[in-house]
Amino acid sequence: MRRNLLLSLIQKRFLQTSSSSFTVQFLVNSCGLPLQSALSVSKKFQIDENNLHKPQSVIQFLKSNDFKDTHIAKTIEKWPAVLHSRTEDTLKPKFDFFIKNGFAGQLLPQLIVSNPDVLRRHLGSHIKPFFEFLKPFYASNEEIVEAIMRAPWLLSIPLNGDMQLNTDFLIKEGVSIDRIAKLMQWQPRVMGQKHDKMVYAVAATKKLGVQTGDSMFVRVLAVLVIVSESTWRKRIEVMKSMGWSEGEVLCAFKRFPPLLTCSEEKIRGAMDFFFNTMELGRQSLITYPYFIGFSIDKRVRPRYNVMKVLESRKLIEGDWNIATPLTISEKKFLLNYVTKYADKAPDLLQIYGGTDKSKRTHSL
C-alpha cells in the first residue's frame, strides 16, 4: 500500500516536472520570455505539449495584429492565460472593436501590454458600454483613445461602480460636463478612485474657497483626491517651517495645484535655492508658485547662472524679471539668452550646460 502510494507520488512529481520543463521551453522558444521570467510563469501556468493549438494560434494572431516579439513576451508575462484564449471567438471581436475605435497600428499592442486584463473583460457588457460612457465627455474617438492610453487600467474598472458614482456626483455638485472631460484628460485615474474619497475631496476643495464653477476646481480636486490629507498637510507644515503662513501656502496651491504633489525634499530644496541663492522674496513664489515644480538642477540653476553672467557683464541692463527666462522653452532660452550673445560671451554655452546643451543648440 505504502509502496503504491510512493510510486503514485513519484509519478505525479515526474509529470509535473516534465510539464513545467516543457512550459519553460515553450515560453522561451516560442514566446520570447527571458528564462527567469519563464521559470516564474511556469510555477502558476502550464502548457500541455499534446495540445498546442491554442497557444500557437494566439501567438500567430498577435503577430498578425502588429505585435512585436517584445509585446508578445510582455503580454504573456503579465497574463499567461492569454495563451489559452480562443482567437476567433474571444480575441478577434475585441481587437476588431479596438481597431475600429481608433487603436490602430502600435496603439493596440501598447494598450494590451499596458493592461492585458482588458482581454478578460466582456466585450458586450463591459468594453462597449465603457466607450459609450466616455463619448459625452470627449469630442472624438481620438480623444477617447488618448485618455485610455494615459490610464489603460481604467478599462478594468467596473463601470457601474465608483467611476459612475463619481461622475454622477460631480454633475450633481455643479461641475460642468466639459470640466469633467478635462479632468478625465488630465488625470483619468481620479475618476476611478473610491467614491467616499471623491466626496471628501469635493468638500475639501470647496472649504479652500474653490467653487465648482471656478476654472481651477478640477485641478485642485484632482490633487486632493490623489494625495492623502495627512501627506498634503505635512507639505503645508514644511512650507510653514520655512516662513510661509498657511494662507500663503493655500494661495500658492490654488494657483498651482501640483505644488502639494511635490515631495517634502523637493519643496525644501527648491525653497533653499530660491530664497538663499536667488534671493527671491516669498511674494515672488506666491505669484509664481509653479517655479517650485521646476527642476532646480536641470532648469533653474543653469538659467539663473546664465542670467547672472549676462548681468555682471552688462549685456543686459536694468531690472529683469526672472519669470521670463525660467518659463520659456529650452529652444527660446538658448536663442534669446545664449546664442544671441555668443560673440560677446562665448563661454555662455559651457556655463549653461556644456556639450549636452551644445548638441541641442545644433539641432535647433
Side-chain angles (χ1 to χ4, degrees):
M1 181 73 176
R2 287 184 178 179
R3 185 181 178 189
N4 290 338
L5 180 60
L6 181 59
L7 285 172
S8 176
L9 289 172
I10 291 172
Q11 289 173 339
K12 186 177 181 182
R13 175 63 62 87
F14 174 78
L15 289 172
Q16 286 177 338
T17 303
S18 176
S19 176
S20 178
S21 176
F22 178 80
T23 297
V24 170
Q25 291 179 31
F26 185 88
L27 293 173
V28 171
N29 297 330
S30 299
C31 306
L33 271 70
L35 178 59
Q36 201 60 40
S37 296
L39 288 168
S40 177
V41 169
S42 70
K43 293 177 182 178
K44 54 189 175 183
F45 177 80
Q46 298 295 313
I47 294 172
D48 183 358
E49 61 182 306
N50 297 313
N51 187 12
L52 294 177
H53 175 69
K54 277 187 180 179
Q56 290 173 338
S57 64
V58 167
I59 292 169
Q60 189 56 45
F61 176 78
L62 294 176
K63 288 182 177 179
S64 71
N65 280 278
D66 295 326
F67 276 63
K68 301 183 185 304
D69 291 344
T70 53
H71 293 140
I72 294 172
K74 288 178 181 178
T75 299
I76 294 169
E77 276 183 312
K78 291 183 177 181
W79 188 48
V82 67
L83 291 172
H84 288 164
S85 299
R86 291 176 295 179
T87 54
E88 289 300 315
D89 296 339
T90 304
L91 297 181
K92 189 176 184 303
K94 293 173 185 176
F95 275 52
D96 289 346
F97 177 82
F98 282 123
I99 292 169
K100 180 182 176 182
N101 283 276
F103 288 88
Q106 289 298 295
L107 287 177
L108 182 55
Q110 289 168 17
L111 171 68
I112 302 303
V113 168
S114 299
N115 181 21
D117 179 72
V118 70
L119 297 178
R120 299 168 57 189
R121 303 293 162 174
H122 194 275
L123 179 61
S125 62
H126 184 85
I127 297 174
K128 286 183 178 180
F130 186 83
F131 272 76
E132 290 301 315
F133 167 77
L134 292 178
K135 281 183 179 179
F137 301 103
Y138 297 98
S140 64
N141 267 4
E142 287 75 16
E143 289 187 4
I144 293 176
V145 169
E146 183 180 347
I148 291 174
M149 290 305 294
R150 285 185 183 181
W153 55 267
L154 283 174
L155 282 169
S156 297
I157 295 176
L159 189 56
N160 59 354
D162 291 311
M163 181 169 281
Q164 185 69 62
L165 288 172
N166 290 337
T167 303
D168 294 343
F169 176 68
L170 290 178
I171 293 172
K172 181 182 175 183
E173 287 292 308
V175 182
S176 62
I177 293 292
D178 65 314
R179 290 231 166 94
I180 295 174
K182 286 179 180 177
L183 178 58
M184 287 185 172
Q185 289 172 330
W186 296 326
Q187 290 283 356
R189 63 186 177 130
V190 167
M191 297 303 294
Q193 297 292 320
K194 294 293 184 181
H195 182 56
D196 58 353
K197 201 168 187 180
M198 178 66 75
V199 173
Y200 155 76
V202 168
T205 303
K206 288 182 176 180
K207 191 174 180 180
L208 292 174
V210 184
Q211 301 305 314
T212 54
D214 297 343
S215 60
M216 294 298 287
F217 181 84
V218 291
R219 291 189 180 272
V220 173
L221 175 69
V223 172
L224 296 184
V225 169
I226 294 170
V227 181
S228 69
E229 181 176 7
S230 62
T231 298
W232 64 264
R233 280 289 172 195
K234 283 180 185 176
R235 289 165 186 171
I236 289 176
E237 291 304 316
V238 167
M239 296 181 73
K240 285 170 68 176
S241 73
M242 304 186 79
W244 292 59
S245 70
E246 184 158 335
E248 288 172 333
V249 176
L250 294 177
C251 179
F253 169 60
K254 285 187 280 187
R255 289 185 176 183
F256 179 61
L259 173 65
L260 294 184
T261 66
C262 296
S263 69
E264 294 168 40
E265 181 183 8
K266 164 69 174 168
I267 292 170
R268 289 184 189 279
M271 295 289 192
D272 177 64
F273 188 83
F274 287 121
F275 290 157
N276 299 323
T277 301
M278 292 181 62
E279 299 181 343
L280 286 185
R282 198 163 59 249
Q283 189 56 48
S284 294
L285 291 183
I286 295 172
T287 304
Y288 305 110
Y290 48 85
F291 284 4
I292 299 171
F294 291 155
S295 169
I296 297 298
D297 292 331
K298 294 180 180 179
R299 186 187 191 98
V300 179
R301 192 191 310 277
R303 296 190 182 195
Y304 176 69
N305 289 342
V306 167
M307 299 307 295
K308 292 304 289 182
V309 168
L310 292 176
E311 184 180 50
S312 68
R313 297 179 187 178
K314 299 189 180 340
L315 295 176
I316 54 171
E317 297 180 351
D319 294 332
W320 49 274
N321 189 335
I322 190 62
T324 300
L326 281 189
T327 55
I328 60 176
S329 69
E330 174 86 346
K331 180 177 180 179
K332 284 187 176 180
F333 184 84
L334 284 164
L335 290 174
N336 294 346
Y337 298 105
V338 179
T339 56
K340 179 179 178 179
Y341 300 101
D343 292 341
K344 296 179 181 178
D347 58 340
L348 269 183
L349 185 60
Q350 189 63 37
I351 291 168
Y352 185 41
T355 56
D356 182 54
K357 301 289 184 181
S358 176
K359 290 177 183 176
R360 294 189 203 179
T361 306
H362 292 313
S363 67
L364 297 177

